[in-house]
Amino acid sequence: MIAVFLYNILLIVLYALAMALSINFFLRRKQTLFLLVTIYLLFFIFDNAIIYMTEFINSFASSYNETFMSIPVAKTIIYVVNAYCSLLIINNLLKRKTSFLQYSFVVLLTIWMSLVPLMANSATKVWLYYLPNQLFLMYLGLYGWHHLKKTTDFSPARYFYTKWISLSSMLFGLLILLEDSYVIYRVDQYTFLNVKINNRNICEDIFSMLVCFLLLHYFFKTEEQVIEEVVEEKEDVQFQQFCRHYGFTQREQEICILLLEHKSNQQIADEIFLSLGTVKTHIHNIFIKLNVKKRNQVIEAYEAFNKSGKIGTEISSTAV
């Protein structure tokens, strides 16, 4: 039981972390995609919280299972919202508009999940209740994969994430269906006097975790790229101000960059296609303007200039 408890906690923490980063990206970029992802993850958390309570609170489990067999309102809302959000997300990634037919699929799914509970209690009733959700997940995977193959204007990042989400949806839609079929017909009990339901689907959990890992990969990778771009831009501004301050010519700027990278005279000559003697002359002129005598003093002069506060307000505005 301790292992199951920790598993639930870690799962909710994973969902919450991915959702928090998604909210952050939505507030910063104002893109609908991140709002949809946030809602999608929020209902992951609701679903897992309900499942967690059915596993640890017997009175809640009995009440929930009885309600589920007659009027499964909570589960239906969770599935319908997730189906709607996942449809919009995949179309957003594919840069396609959601068609009337696709909206109709979600409406039919809702009607199906509302009517099936009216049947007599049985394993087949529960299996039929879940069936359209797994078929819809497989459909989204096939739909995404089909249109991804026909598209040529995707960035590498968009192609990568769309590909893995599509493949995962196809694979796990099938695996979730197979696990449901086994558990519903072989493990659960649906007799008149005893309704015992295993509400957790491990394949479904693995799929949700994979989605979260893909999201975390995107969020952290994107954040690193933004930081790198800001740092590079800031360093470029610093270097340009340094060169202007000491009156470097264009050629001296090119050579100074290579000096800061610890390149030898011969390496500098080879890289910018100058003779060794010409390179030495330019380095001598740099030394004179900086009032230094050694190569390592060039780096010290550059670092001292940046620390001296002479880099101006332009850097501060770039960092922001």
Side-chain angles (χ1 to χ4, degrees):
M1 292 298 289
I2 295 177
V4 176
F5 172 78
L6 293 175
Y7 172 79
N8 276 282
I9 295 299
L10 292 174
L11 205 56
I12 291 177
V13 168
L14 177 63
Y15 296 159
L17 175 60
M19 188 178 73
L21 291 171
S22 183
I23 293 172
N24 178 52
F25 268 64
F26 171 69
L27 294 175
R28 287 165 52 187
R29 300 190 178 191
K30 307 301 180 184
Q31 293 180 355
T32 306
L33 174 64
F34 299 114
L35 177 60
L36 292 170
V37 169
T38 299
I39 298 172
Y40 187 67
L41 293 172
L42 178 62
F43 278 81
F44 270 0
I45 294 175
F46 285 163
D47 192 31
N48 196 76
I50 291 173
I51 294 171
Y52 168 77
M53 288 190 289
T54 63
E55 292 173 334
F56 283 89
I57 306 175
N58 291 331
S59 58
F60 177 83
S62 299
S63 174
Y64 175 80
N65 289 338
E66 289 177 7
T67 303
F68 173 79
M69 293 301 294
S70 56
I71 312 174
V73 177
K75 201 70 173 180
T76 300
I77 292 174
I78 290 170
Y79 271 120
V80 170
V81 171
N82 280 347
Y84 181 71
C85 287
S86 60
L87 174 62
L88 297 183
I89 289 169
I90 196 70
N91 275 320
N92 190 294
L93 290 173
L94 292 170
K95 300 180 181 179
R96 294 177 62 86
K97 290 184 178 180
T98 304
S99 67
F100 175 79
L101 179 61
Q102 290 176 323
Y103 283 124
S104 300
F105 288 161
V106 178
V107 172
L108 289 173
L109 184 145
T110 306
I111 295 173
W112 180 276
M113 298 183 74
S114 301
L115 294 179
V116 166
L118 300 178
M119 298 172 57
N121 288 352
S122 66
T124 301
K125 168 185 173 179
V126 177
W127 186 84
L128 288 173
Y129 175 82
Y130 285 116
L131 177 62
N133 295 284
Q134 324 317 346
L135 296 179
F136 187 74
L137 183 59
M138 286 188 276
Y139 159 74
L140 289 179
L142 289 168
Y143 169 76
W145 182 255
H146 172 69
H147 288 287
L148 183 65
K149 287 301 181 180
K150 297 195 303 182
T151 306
T152 58
D153 62 341
F154 276 9
S155 67
R158 182 180 287 267
Y159 182 89
F160 172 83
Y161 293 110
T162 307
K163 179 186 74 173
W164 279 106
I165 289 174
S166 299
L167 290 174
S168 301
S169 298
M170 285 189 286
L171 174 62
F172 280 94
L174 177 60
L175 292 177
I176 293 169
L177 176 59
L178 292 175
E179 183 179 342
D180 271 349
S181 299
Y182 176 80
V183 172
I184 290 170
Y185 284 103
R186 296 280 185 163
V187 179
D188 292 348
Q189 297 179 19
Y190 303 99
T191 61
F192 177 74
L193 296 176
N194 184 24
V195 175
K196 184 178 181 182
I197 302 175
N198 183 359
N199 292 286
R200 183 177 299 281
N201 185 299
I202 300 301
C203 289
E204 195 170 22
D205 284 353
I206 295 173
F207 173 72
S208 64
M209 287 188 282
L210 181 59
V211 170
C212 288
F213 288 138
L214 285 171
L215 287 169
L216 294 177
H217 181 270
Y218 171 80
F219 292 142
F220 288 125
K221 184 177 180 180
T222 302
E223 199 67 25
E224 287 175 2
Q225 289 174 344
V226 171
I227 293 172
E228 287 175 1
E229 289 172 2
V230 171
V231 170
E232 288 175 359
E233 187 176 353
K234 178 178 177 181
E235 289 177 347
D236 183 63
V237 172
Q238 291 173 328
F239 180 74
Q240 292 300 323
Q241 291 193 355
F242 174 73
C243 292
R244 284 198 297 269
H245 181 78
Y246 288 101
F248 289 167
T249 65
Q250 183 62 38
R251 183 63 77 182
E252 287 169 352
Q253 291 182 36
E254 294 174 5
I255 293 174
C256 185
I257 290 175
L258 299 174
L259 285 173
L260 294 175
E261 294 176 357
H262 304 280
K263 298 289 182 68
S264 67
N265 290 353
Q266 187 61 58
Q267 288 174 321
I268 294 173
D270 293 339
E271 189 157 333
I272 59 177
F273 304 103
L274 293 176
S275 67
L276 188 59
T278 303
V279 169
K280 289 181 178 179
T281 299
H282 284 302
I283 291 177
H284 177 70
N285 292 336
I286 291 172
F287 282 4
I288 291 174
K289 291 179 179 181
L290 292 176
N291 192 27
V292 300
K293 296 181 179 180
K294 297 180 180 179
R295 299 167 69 91
N296 65 318
Q297 291 177 321
V298 175
I299 299 174
E300 293 172 359
Y302 178 66
E303 293 175 347
F305 177 84
N306 292 337
K307 293 177 181 179
S308 68
K310 296 180 182 179
I311 56 178
T313 59
E314 189 176 357
I315 295 174
S316 298
S317 62
T318 302
V320 174

